[in-house]
């Protein structure tokens, strides 16, 4: 994707993200119709669907040859990342949206032939926008984010880690993960993968670990984290599959290998 094309797409996407945020804030206290998807804790609301429909309508009108990969069913059925693909989560952190009316985000990642070109994470209620264009750095509002700390001490790191890691499950040995919690300075969980990616990019989290994310949960965050020198892999150290679910480890690259080898690989044995 050349610079001129990327800038045109970026400006349209920026306009739509901010407009979608206004729509959410205008109706934040309206009664919601809340449904469940894969389980009782996997929520979807009328607002999720309305915001996704808003993006889909605008994208198809202005960029009819682009594809859409999205959470609530308004996008395309894709088996390849060829072409320009918008990967959209209209409300990342729906449970927070329903229960707290905060701590959720709009997440939009735009990929060209599988390469992340543009990322937006908009913390709607705090009115904080994270954005990035490939090769041009990442921003919080109009302020460019610095490169991640190259002198990070592993034992002083703070990791985003939800409680599922510490429960007995088939994927990992929870005892190893409990040791990780003891060895780092602290752990946090925010209930929105997009905001956790943004926190890693900003350097207020040093890493984020989760057992299963869909492409729309991570597409924007990967672009933004990449632009500050971070890295994102599966918990096995493999490349992320942008068309399926993944275990995810995004972090300051300084601690990636240490956690991967000393904890994640050990927990998988």
């Amino acid at each position: 994707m050349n610079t001129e094309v990327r800038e045109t797409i970026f400006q349209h996407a920026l306009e739509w993200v901010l407009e979608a945020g206004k729509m959410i804030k205008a109706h934040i206290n309206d009664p919601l119709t809340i449904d469940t998807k894969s389980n009782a804790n996997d929520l979807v609301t009328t607002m999720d669907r309305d915001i996704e429909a808003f993006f889909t309508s605008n994208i198809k009108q202005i960029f009819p040859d682009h594809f859409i990969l999205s959470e609530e069913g308004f996008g395309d059925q894709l088996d390849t990342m060829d072409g320009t693909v918008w990967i959209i989560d209209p409300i990342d952190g729906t449970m927070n949206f329903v229960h707290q009316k905060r701590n959720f985000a709009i997440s939009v990642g735009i990929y060209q032939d599988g390469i992340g070109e543009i990322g937006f994470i908009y913390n709607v209620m705090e009115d904080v926008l994270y954005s990035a264009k490939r090769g041009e750095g990442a921003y919080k509002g109009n302020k460019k984010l610095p490169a991640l700390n190259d002198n990070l001490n592993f034992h002083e790191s703070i990791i985003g880690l939800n409680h599922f890691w510490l429960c007995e499950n088939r994927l990992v040995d929870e005892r190893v993960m409990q040791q990780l919690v003891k060895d780092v300075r602290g752990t946090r969980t925010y209930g929105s993968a997009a905001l956790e990616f943004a926190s890693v990019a900003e350097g207020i989290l040093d890493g984020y670990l989760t057992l299963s994310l869909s492409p729309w949960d991570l597409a924007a965050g990967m672009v933004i984290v990449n632009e500050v020198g971070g890295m994102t892999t599966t918990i096995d150290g493999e490349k992320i599959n942008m068309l399926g679910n993944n275990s995810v480890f995004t972090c300051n690259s300084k601690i990636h290998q240490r956690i991967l080898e000393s904890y994640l690989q050990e927990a998988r044995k």
Side-chain angles (χ1 to χ4, degrees), residues 8-269:
T8 297
I9 296 172
F10 181 92
Q11 291 302 326
H12 280 289
L14 172 60
E15 176 186 344
W16 297 334
V17 167
L18 296 178
E19 181 63 27
K22 290 178 182 178
M23 293 166 60
I24 292 172
K25 283 190 273 192
H27 298 282
I28 191 69
N29 292 312
D30 290 0
L32 289 171
T33 300
I34 304 168
D35 298 317
T36 60
K37 294 186 287 187
S38 61
N39 59 67
N41 296 322
D42 187 8
L43 306 181
V44 60
T45 72
T46 48
M47 185 67 77
D48 293 85
R49 296 187 177 106
D50 289 348
I51 296 300
E52 186 169 307
F54 165 79
F55 276 109
T56 302
S57 174
N58 280 286
I59 293 165
K60 291 300 185 182
Q61 181 179 357
I62 303 298
F63 303 109
D65 58 335
H66 290 190
F67 302 101
I68 300 170
L69 185 62
S70 54
E71 183 169 15
E72 310 305 344
F74 290 89
D76 302 296
Q77 295 295 319
L78 301 181
D79 56 14
T80 175
M81 286 292 290
D82 292 348
T84 305
V85 181
W86 296 59
I87 308 179
I88 300 169
D89 194 338
I91 298 179
D92 182 79
T94 300
M95 190 178 294
N96 289 349
F97 170 71
V98 170
H99 288 271
Q100 303 173 357
K101 301 187 186 302
R102 64 184 65 202
N103 299 322
F104 61 88
I106 298 169
S107 177
V108 177
I110 303 169
Y111 282 62
Q112 179 68 39
D113 297 327
I115 297 172
E117 295 281 351
I118 295 168
F120 289 101
I121 294 173
Y122 185 35
N123 184 336
V124 174
M125 302 311 291
E126 300 294 331
D127 192 26
V128 176
L129 178 68
Y130 298 86
S131 64
K133 288 177 275 188
R134 184 171 65 88
E136 298 184 31
Y139 289 79
K140 180 183 181 181
N142 294 320
K143 183 179 179 181
K144 189 172 185 178
L145 295 175
L148 295 179
N149 180 11
D150 192 45
N151 296 310
L152 177 65
N153 183 316
F154 165 73
H155 293 288
E156 296 175 350
S157 60
I158 297 178
I159 306 296
L161 183 72
N162 62 44
H163 68 276
F164 295 111
W165 286 96
L166 306 182
C167 301
E168 184 177 356
N169 61 70
R170 294 173 296 172
L171 292 176
V172 297
D173 184 339
E174 71 277 5
R175 294 169 298 180
V176 177
M177 302 310 297
Q178 289 166 358
Q179 188 61 50
L180 172 62
V181 171
K182 295 176 182 178
D183 290 345
V184 297
R185 174 164 282 175
T187 60
R188 299 290 184 271
T189 185
Y190 298 101
S192 165
L195 292 180
E196 307 223 37
F197 267 90
S199 296
V200 172
E202 193 175 352
I204 57 179
L205 280 180
D206 300 303
Y208 170 52
L209 283 161
T210 187
L211 283 172
S212 181
L213 290 183
S214 299
W216 40 83
D217 298 316
L218 55 83
M222 282 181 58
V223 178
I224 296 169
V225 167
N226 285 350
E227 287 300 308
V228 293
M231 60 192 305
T232 306
T233 67
T234 70
I235 64 171
D236 297 311
E238 302 296 328
K239 183 178 178 180
I240 296 292
N241 172 16
M242 297 307 299
L243 293 173
N245 284 6
N246 298 264
S247 63
V248 174
F249 178 29
T250 187
C251 68
N252 184 319
S253 57
K254 189 74 175 180
I255 61 172
H256 183 269
Q257 204 64 21
R258 171 73 178 272
I259 292 179
L260 195 69
E261 293 180 352
S262 299
Y263 300 94
L264 298 182
Q265 291 179 355
E266 190 67 26
R268 297 280 271 169
K269 290 181 179 178

